[in-house]
Amino acid sequence: MPAALADSALYRGLFGDDETAQLFTDSAEVRAMLLVEGALARVQGALGMIPAESAAFLHRATLEIQIDPAGLSAETAVNGVPVPALVAAFRKAANAPEHAQYLHWGATSQDIAETGLNLRLRRVIALWDARLVALIAALGRLAAAHAELPMAARTYGQTATPTSFGAQVANWGAPLIRHRARLAELKPRLLRVSLGGAAGTLSTMGSQGAEVRAGLAEALALADPMGSWHPERDGLGEFAGWMAGLMASLGKIGEDLLIATQSGIGEVSVAGGGGSSTMPQKQNPVGPSVLVALARQVIGLSAVMQGAGLHRQQRDGAAWFTEWLTLPQLCLSTGKGLALALDLAGRISPNPAAMARGLNEGGGLILAEALSFALAERMPRPEAQARVKALCKEVMAGAGSLTDLAARDFPGTDWAATLSGPQALGEAPAEARRFAEAAAEVAGEAAG
């Protein structure tokens, strides 16, 4: 099995996300860092920190010169960061030492690498936000269509009370609206320019350091952090935590689908399931299984990112390298999770007949709570609960259905009609419709 499944020719269709992955290639990283170097030179030229002619040359050259990432490998292995090799390669390719000497003026490698990363993360977030909107909208339509489709709610894996399939879909989708709001809130704390110089003081830029940083932030449309954040990793930690939270919510969709499609339950079908090499009858829920696996991986990797937040002093190579080893895979798996959940949302079909069986199995014990509250109108509630508990034991012993036994002991009421009408679903249909309306609002705002 290859080391990186998302990049594997064999497994990339199962675990990979090409749109997210293209922002984590060597070429994408080098291009982003050159953009930062060029913008820095232009800002410094405008402020008179470096010659204006050199600034114009450097800005143009960073857009035109192509650097082969493979040529930077040997030096990167020695320096622990690709920026020194990149600067050297650029100066050689530019063939204009009188101008190239001003490249990377007063910056440090971490400034260029992290600002370049944030340029790429901005595009990642835009991609994911569009997927989130589409997923929320798809789940909203599903919830609205099945707001009143009754099914058994289950707690601790056991039948509890009736609910609706639309309400279950709302449980999947409502957290996604909140996750999207959290993503918008954290963006200014994450997508910041980094410019602190060797030890975060910008001492080589004299009194103009803060002005250069503000200008660079404006040029790149990133936030100005108003200081150096080299050892302050809370932004990336928050982002990793957001990915873990999102994938936990998406993983729940996968978990619920695994149960709902299980043989003997079959309350939901997912079109396009995978086949078995030896059992022709099988249609395996591959998509939901991948979604759960990705969620578990992202949650685990997020913990690694939180640990990497322990940066020593003004810069910590070990902690920084830990982020490099972790963040790209976090993003690839999160991106795949979003894409997969969106695909699944369009392939889910409820099975009303199977849901009806789930409601009726066990002699109607799903109505026990409703019966105890109905009887509480005739007697003290503790007594009502005790009577219903006794009836439940009879049902489990094979004496008949709960409604039949209730009619025996409490005649004069059509208990099946009383307990099984639309009121049995409680707020479930309304909850489904509220989510559907909120989902439509999200889609409308995004489109507008």
Side-chain angles (χ1 to χ4, degrees), residues 169-222:
V169 175
N171 289 156
W172 297 343
L176 303 183
I177 296 177
R178 297 191 291 272
H179 286 308
R180 183 170 182 260
R182 293 185 188 104
L183 182 61
E185 292 166 1
L186 71 81
K187 280 170 61 177
R189 297 188 289 270
L190 173 69
L191 302 180
R192 305 174 292 171
V193 74
S194 176
L195 190 64
T201 63
L202 283 180
S203 57
T204 58
M205 298 187 190
S207 62
Q208 293 181 297
E211 195 174 1
V212 173
R213 185 182 59 242
L216 183 61
E218 182 178 1
L220 297 175
L222 294 172

Side-chain angles (χ1 to χ4, degrees), residues 81-351:
V81 65
V83 178
L86 177 65
V87 170
F90 176 88
R91 286 173 175 161
K92 181 178 180 180
N95 196 28
E98 69 278 16
H99 298 311
Q101 64 176 313
Y102 294 106
L103 183 76
H104 198 66
W105 194 264
T108 194
S109 294
Q110 189 167 355
D111 293 328
I112 305 305
E114 297 206 313
T115 303
L117 171 64
N118 284 344
L119 289 178
R120 291 181 287 135
L121 288 180
R122 180 170 62 197
R123 294 179 60 188
V124 168
I125 288 173
L127 171 66
W128 292 356
D129 185 69
R131 290 179 181 176
L132 261 175
V133 170
L135 175 56
I136 290 166
L139 293 176
R141 293 189 294 270
L142 195 62
H146 303 290
E148 296 186 18
L149 176 59
M151 64 177 292
R154 296 176 174 89
T155 60
Y156 285 80
Q158 306 297 308
T159 300
T161 63
T163 185
S164 78
F165 181 62
Q168 181 171 49
V169 175
N171 289 156
W172 297 343
L176 303 183
I177 296 177
R178 297 191 291 272
H179 286 308
R180 183 170 182 260
R182 293 185 188 104
L183 182 61
E185 292 166 1
L186 71 81
K187 280 170 61 177
R189 297 188 289 270
L190 173 69
L191 302 180
R192 305 174 292 171
V193 74
S194 176
L195 190 64
T201 63
L202 283 180
S203 57
T204 58
M205 298 187 190
S207 62
Q208 293 181 297
E211 195 174 1
V212 173
R213 185 182 59 242
L216 183 61
E218 182 178 1
L220 297 175
L222 294 172
D224 180 1
M226 310 298 289
S228 172
W229 53 274
H230 291 162
E232 300 168 9
R233 315 313 292 176
D234 54 296
L236 282 170
E238 184 179 8
F239 185 45
W242 179 86
M243 286 187 274
L246 172 69
M247 287 304 296
S249 295
L250 297 182
K252 175 182 169 43
I253 298 176
E255 291 279 20
D256 284 349
L257 289 175
L258 287 175
I259 295 172
T261 59
Q262 182 176 311
S263 297
I265 297 179
E267 293 180 344
V268 172
S269 62
V270 179
S276 165
S277 64
T278 185
M279 292 173 283
Q281 84 281 8
K282 294 194 73 178
Q283 190 176 44
N284 295 326
V286 174
S289 299
V290 173
L291 194 55
V292 172
L294 291 171
R296 290 172 178 165
Q297 182 197 41
V298 168
I299 291 168
L301 290 178
S302 176
V304 177
M305 283 293 290
Q306 307 311 319
L310 299 175
H311 268 239
R312 287 169 289 193
Q313 300 171 320
Q314 279 66 51
R315 188 175 302 138
D316 185 342
W320 202 23
F321 297 159
T322 302
E323 291 177 356
W324 298 1
L325 290 167
T326 309
L327 182 63
Q329 185 59 61
L330 260 173
C331 292
L332 289 177
S333 293
T334 300
K336 178 63 175 182
L338 273 168
L340 182 55
L342 178 56
D343 175 64
L344 286 170
R347 296 193 283 119
I348 295 171
S349 299
N351 184 342

